[in-house]
Amino acid sequence: MNNKIMLKKLTLKNFKGIKDLTIDFSKVTSIKGENASGKTTVFDAFTYLMFDKDSQDRSKFEVQPLDASNNVIHMLDTSVEGTLDVNGKTMILKKVLKEKWTRKRGEEQTELKGTETSYYIDEVPAKMGEYKKQINGLIDENLFKLLSNPLYFSRSE
């Protein structure tokens, strides 16, 4: 597994506190700013796209945007799309989290029944297993963390 992987572009829509952001990584890119300005959110988005985890290695974290009272803002799709260069070939990965709303017959109110995540590889819908297999074929998750996060130390469980 000797892949040369470069992140070329990352697009976030309604991801945590970021409404709409596209970062072009084709040149040298620096991400800097005040505390609580979104730096960690950008990294969270990328690790979510790749491994379903945030930058702290948590699989349970909120990706949907929150209001001032820390309640989920409903009726918005949350998406992260990354354009990668893998050994000289472009690969586009995308995840979209959608809420599932239903209305019972005879009732006016719709009810939230949960969320579902859609996966795309090069703009083609993929099943979760196919998506994860594609990612695992690119790079081992622990190796990625070791190379990309200076605060990461392998944890034995």
Side-chain angles (χ1 to χ4, degrees):
M1 197 180 339
N2 279 340
N3 290 318
K4 181 180 177 184
I5 304 169
M6 293 178 55
L7 177 61
K8 302 301 266 179
K9 183 168 75 169
L10 190 66
T11 301
L12 290 65
K13 292 194 187 306
N14 301 314
F15 186 87
K16 295 175 81 172
I18 296 177
K19 184 174 180 164
D20 190 0
L21 174 68
T22 298
I23 303 170
D24 181 354
F25 290 97
S26 62
K27 300 177 183 169
V28 175
T29 306
S30 295
I31 298 177
K32 56 186 175 181
E34 301 292 322
N35 287 344
S37 63
K39 300 178 303 293
T40 301
T41 299
V42 171
F43 192 39
D44 284 346
F46 185 64
T47 57
Y48 167 73
L49 179 69
M50 299 292 286
F51 306 111
D52 284 324
K53 296 179 182 175
D54 70 2
S55 59
Q56 301 297 308
D57 207 35
R58 297 177 295 201
S59 56
K60 299 219 184 270
F61 71 106
E62 189 59 65
V63 299
Q64 292 177 282
L66 305 176
D67 64 17
S69 301
N70 281 334
N71 297 310
V72 170
I73 301 171
H74 294 290
M75 304 289 191
L76 296 174
D77 293 347
T78 297
S79 69
V80 178
E81 180 177 302
T83 302
L84 307 175
D85 180 304
V86 181
N87 300 323
K89 291 177 62 179
T90 299
M91 174 185 282
I92 300 171
L93 300 172
K94 183 175 182 178
K95 290 171 75 170
V96 180
L97 180 79
K98 294 183 180 206
E99 294 178 329
K100 295 189 297 187
W101 292 87
T102 60
R103 181 186 344 246
K104 292 183 182 175
R105 184 180 303 179
E107 297 201 10
E108 291 184 31
Q109 296 287 345
T110 58
E111 185 177 327
L112 179 63
K113 290 293 185 180
T115 60
E116 66 181 10
T117 303
S118 299
Y119 301 85
Y120 301 86
I121 302 169
D122 294 330
E123 301 179 1
V124 176
K127 294 181 179 175
M128 180 176 66
E130 295 171 293
Y131 186 90
K132 289 185 176 194
K133 184 177 178 181
Q134 187 77 34
I135 300 294
N136 290 336
L138 295 176
I139 189 165
D140 175 72
E141 181 177 346
N142 288 321
L143 178 60
F144 171 82
K145 291 173 189 169
L146 183 67
L147 295 172
S148 64
N149 187 347
L151 302 176
Y152 178 78
F153 291 92
S154 184
R155 299 174 187 101
S156 60
E157 300 189 23

